Amino acid sequence: RDKDSITLGYNLAHISSAYREAHPGIQSSEQVYELAYRALILPCLTLTPDVQYVHNPSGRSDIGDALIVYLRSEVLL
């Protein structure tokens, strides 16, 4: 499967102290971990299942972490 690819990603978004002071309960950051696999199914079709885990969504401590799972497709016409 030479034309397939796997992606591992990490994103860290810092939230400013000024914003946190104006909005009590906001954490200092949001973190996202991502794993995706892009599979060439046909010369004109790829499928990419993707999983993301979001720690402290929007920096909010009053909501739980989020797990996002989706499937993206690309069709070449």
Side-chain angles (χ1 to χ4, degrees):
R1 306 222 35 123
D2 295 338
K3 301 207 183 234
D4 290 3
S5 61
I6 191 165
T7 304
L8 181 61
Y10 173 75
N11 181 41
L12 173 63
H14 288 283
I15 299 170
S16 73
S17 58
Y19 185 85
R20 290 192 324 252
E21 287 174 15
H23 299 86
I26 298 294
Q27 302 296 312
S28 62
S29 67
E30 172 188 276
Q31 300 174 51
V32 180
Y33 305 88
E34 180 176 14
L35 176 63
Y37 184 82
R38 186 173 186 266
L40 180 64
I41 306 302
L42 298 170
C44 62
L45 175 65
T46 61
L47 295 178
T48 307
D50 193 297
V51 178
Q52 297 178 9
Y53 179 77
V54 183
H55 178 64
N56 286 336
S58 298
R60 293 179 52 181
S61 59
D62 60 335
I63 59 176
D65 294 349
L67 179 65
I68 304 160
V69 180
Y70 64 94
L71 178 66
R72 181 174 52 242
S73 62
E74 299 172 48
V75 178
L76 179 63
L77 301 175

